[in-house]
Amino acid sequence: QVQLVESGGGLVQAGGSLRLSCAASGSIFSIAAMGWYRQAPGNQRELVAIITGSGSTNYAESVKGRFTITRDNAKNTVYLQMNSLKPEDTAVYFCNADGVRVIGRLIPRSWGQGTQVTVSS
């Protein structure tokens, strides 16, 4: 079994910063990739950033230069540093892990419960 727990969301003024964390727990041997998605009301869930175990990253165009994703493989934890936040960044942010190898099983995709990020103008 794999559990993903996000933290760090909250309310912030435009131009401010937040740092999201997501820790994966369980009998985990490896995780191919971890990332962050977000979903605003009425919108589809969209990719924000993703990072592989080798350190390769990909960002949504809207967050490039403002957000930074990092990963601690030893802790099975992914972080999202969000700077210069804009009201349009307001959404529920979900952590995900792809290709989680646990004892006796490969889990294609796991999701956290989400954490609310609200940016006011």
Side-chain angles (χ1 to χ4, degrees), residues 4-5 7 19-25 28 31 34 36 51 69-80 95:
L4 301 177
V5 180
S7 62
R19 184 173 184 256
L20 306 183
S21 299
C22 173
S25 62
I28 300 172
I31 303 175
M34 300 186 74
W36 291 94
I51 185 168
I69 187 170
T70 56
R71 176 176 175 177
D72 186 333
N73 291 335
K75 296 181 179 179
N76 292 318
T77 300
V78 64
Y79 307 91
L80 186 68
C95 172

Side-chain angles (χ1 to χ4, degrees), residues 14-70:
S17 298
L18 287 173
R19 184 173 184 256
L20 306 183
S21 299
C22 173
S25 62
S27 299
I28 300 172
F29 290 95
S30 63
I31 303 175
M34 300 186 74
W36 291 94
Y37 290 70
R38 66 187 182 187
Q39 187 168 16
N43 290 17
Q44 296 182 1
R45 188 173 298 184
E46 65 175 355
L47 173 69
V48 177
I50 190 168
I51 185 168
T52 68
S54 62
S56 179
T57 60
N58 183 255
Y59 296 90
E61 187 67 28
S62 60
V63 307
K64 287 182 179 178
R66 300 188 297 120
F67 292 8
T68 303
I69 187 170
T70 56

